[in-house]
Amino acid sequence: MRFFMNKGSNTLIKKLKSEGYNFFTGVPCSLLKETFSFLEKEEKEYYPAIREDSALGLASGAVLAGKKAAIFMQNSGLGYSLNVLTSFNLIYDVPLLIVMSWRGYGKDAVEHNIIGEKITSILDSVDIPYFVLDEKNLSSLTEKIEKWHTKNKTFVILVKDQY
């Protein structure tokens, strides 16, 4: 995670912008604090949200208005988001990119353990593809984004809390 929290967050935002992403929203997470700091300072198309399902609503509206939207959130927010994803985005093929910190992947606060252990199973159970991002595979991210976005799929980039 040290990579992502330092230079990786800026690299990811720049990569997303080079892929045409022009709308950013999310709910702050301490593991993504550098990303949120960068968005707040550098990105005029960043709209903070009070809850993850609200961020999905903002981003979905932006997509329907012709933008490419990315959402940043913690994996614990997936619980708030599942109804929105399964009753709107997945049914109507409204593609969103969700960058999700993977709390509970490694040593973390106990309240993150259950969701951390089950996050990939939850995503699999509702057919949301995901990509586990780390320093070594950042370069292949563009290929994954294009593959999923051209299929009008919502997809998740999981960012581990430690490598």
Side-chain angles (χ1 to χ4, degrees), residues 21-141:
Y21 284 85
N22 53 7
F23 185 94
F24 303 92
T25 186
V27 178
C29 166
S30 62
L31 295 179
L32 299 174
K33 68 182 176 186
E34 295 299 323
T35 301
F36 282 100
S37 177
F38 183 80
L39 286 169
E40 289 167 0
K41 292 176 188 170
E42 305 293 330
E43 188 51 54
K44 61 184 173 191
E45 292 292 327
Y46 167 63
Y47 303 91
I50 57 168
R51 280 183 29 160
E52 292 81 358
D53 53 350
S54 297
L56 288 171
L58 287 169
S60 295
V63 168
L64 294 174
K67 300 213 177 239
K68 279 179 89 172
I71 301 162
F72 296 84
M73 69 178 176
Q74 179 178 137
N75 60 344
S76 62
L78 185 61
Y80 290 123
S81 305
L82 276 177
N83 186 51
V84 175
L85 289 167
T86 60
S87 64
F88 181 71
N89 295 89
L90 300 179
I91 291 174
Y92 298 108
D93 296 326
V94 178
L96 298 175
L97 167 67
I98 302 171
V99 179
M100 186 182 297
S101 62
W102 192 344
R103 301 297 306 260
Y105 172 79
K107 187 176 181 179
D108 202 341
V110 68
E111 64 268 18
H112 300 296
N113 288 348
I114 293 174
I115 193 76
E117 288 177 13
K118 303 293 183 185
I119 194 67
T120 57
S121 297
I122 294 168
L123 293 170
D124 286 338
S125 72
V126 292
D127 296 323
I128 296 176
Y130 59 89
F131 177 74
V132 180
L133 182 66
D134 63 30
E135 185 175 358
K136 296 176 184 119
N137 66 13
L138 184 62
S139 62
S140 65
L141 183 59

Side-chain angles (χ1 to χ4, degrees), residues 4-17:
F4 195 78
M5 290 191 54
N6 295 325
K7 66 178 180 173
S9 59
N10 299 354
T11 303
L12 176 61
I13 299 298
K14 289 176 183 172
K15 186 174 274 292
L16 293 178
K17 288 184 73 134

Side-chain angles (χ1 to χ4, degrees), residues 19 94 163:
E19 292 299 314
V94 178
Y163 296 133

